[in-house]
Amino acid sequence: MPASAPLVRGFGVASVAALLLAGCTGSGEDSYADLDREAADGDALPAAVLAEATYLDASSSRYVGEDDGVALWLARGADPDVHLCLVAVPEDEDWVVGCGYEVFGQSVGTFAVRPDGAEPPEGFTAVSENVYRLEG
């Protein structure tokens, strides 16, 4: 998907303008170990996200970890043109979902998503097999 792909985001009641997150998409040929594993307890998206983020394929969601108070999930988009989305649920802010970009961030932190075998971005630390957070 081109870098000009539209930002898809979900939100709770407050802080809409303060929270911006863009996720990463890959081509249909990329593989992501985080998504390819069997679903487990805890992989389901939070109810608030499911209620509003109908553009996500909820059955594909996988919890990938928590970093600095932000719980993270990867999920495929319900639309075939949206291959991959990152869901970020901070402890004390509204949740955000980003689809369509490789590096993203604002108040929830700066994250990157990379397909299997790709080099981690410089200055980022692994949160999971495919998700990285900018150090510092």
Side-chain angles (χ1 to χ4, degrees):
M1 182 171 285
S4 62
L7 175 67
V8 181
R9 63 183 171 172
F11 51 90
V13 217
S15 303
V16 176
L19 298 174
L20 173 64
L21 178 72
C24 172
T25 77
S27 73
E29 299 168 15
D30 291 333
S31 63
Y32 295 85
D34 287 335
L35 286 176
D36 293 341
R37 67 173 173 74
E38 290 291 318
D41 292 340
D43 282 335
L45 293 167
V49 176
L50 289 172
E52 292 185 45
T54 58
Y55 45 83
L56 296 175
D57 173 2
S59 68
S60 73
S61 70
R62 299 293 184 268
Y63 178 76
V64 296
E66 184 172 317
D67 188 77
D68 198 24
V70 178
L72 301 164
W73 285 261
L74 283 179
R76 298 203 183 277
D79 181 332
D81 291 334
V82 179
H83 299 290
L84 189 61
C85 300
L86 183 74
V87 178
V89 182
E91 292 175 344
D92 58 353
E93 297 180 45
D94 296 321
W95 58 271
V96 290
V97 176
C99 304
Y101 302 89
E102 293 182 4
V103 176
F104 44 85
Q106 285 299 334
S107 65
V108 297
T110 301
F111 297 91
V113 178
R114 295 290 187 261
D116 296 345
E119 289 292 318
E122 189 173 327
F124 284 69
T125 302
V127 175
S128 70
E129 294 282 329
N130 303 112
V131 177
Y132 301 84
R133 180 184 177 99
L134 182 64
E135 295 176 1

